[in-house]
Amino acid sequence: MQNLLHELLVNERQDCSGLLAKAGNIVETRLVVTQNLISGDSDNVEFILQQQSELDARELHICGIYHSSHVSEATLARLTTLYQSALGRRPECYLRLDPDQPGRIDARLYRDASHHQQITLHMVEDET
């Protein structure tokens, strides 16, 4: 989560989005997806498949999408299409990061890209 928040702060009003990977029920890492990657291009699908292959060695799998509240609906739709084209399934979740709250950044987890089906988000402190 700290890496996501740092990315959000660095990119403040620009698009901040990518993929989440988990082991079991815990999101362990993120894959930053640049604007150049967000298309249905077969090279981009191959990139996601290569990333998943590398994650397999760590027993992680891509499970969802994260994005800032500033990401356009079109960008989110393209990222969802890329996810589905590469992995053959819908994202399990969408993590929406909202930096516009005074003094804090809100993080909310949803089952759908339209942000109607909220999921309870539990954050676990890193024990290392």
Side-chain angles (χ1 to χ4, degrees):
M1 186 58 86
Q2 288 180 339
N3 289 336
L4 286 172
L5 297 177
H6 176 74
E7 180 185 345
L8 184 64
L9 291 173
V10 168
N11 293 313
E12 194 174 332
R13 295 280 178 202
Q14 298 172 357
D15 286 349
C16 171
S17 59
L19 305 176
L20 299 170
K22 71 177 187 175
N25 289 328
I26 298 176
V27 172
E28 298 280 347
T29 192
R30 78 190 196 300
L31 304 169
V32 177
V33 177
T34 65
Q35 285 301 311
N36 297 347
L37 268 178
I38 302 176
S39 73
D41 187 306
S42 62
D43 289 342
N44 299 338
V45 168
E46 189 60 38
F47 172 79
I48 300 300
L49 291 173
Q50 177 186 3
Q51 294 297 308
Q52 180 57 68
S53 178
E54 291 173 13
L55 290 169
D56 286 343
R58 297 170 40 202
E59 298 183 9
L60 297 170
H61 75 274
I62 297 171
C63 63
I65 293 173
Y66 73 88
H67 64 91
S68 76
S69 58
H70 297 272
V71 168
S72 70
E73 286 183 31
T75 297
L76 187 55
R78 287 193 305 271
L79 186 53
T80 300
T81 298
L82 174 61
Y83 183 104
Q84 290 176 297
S85 296
L87 302 171
R89 64 182 189 278
R90 300 180 63 110
E92 294 174 31
C93 62
Y94 292 81
L95 179 63
R96 185 175 189 260
L97 304 167
D98 185 358
D100 294 332
Q101 304 303 316
R104 70 176 199 269
I105 295 174
D106 277 349
R108 297 187 189 271
L109 192 62
Y110 298 91
R111 289 194 198 288
D112 59 329
S114 60
H115 306 112
H116 290 347
Q117 299 174 356
Q118 190 167 352
I119 304 170
T120 302
L121 175 64
H122 298 283
M123 292 188 220
V124 178
E125 291 292 325
D126 189 2
E127 296 178 12
T128 57

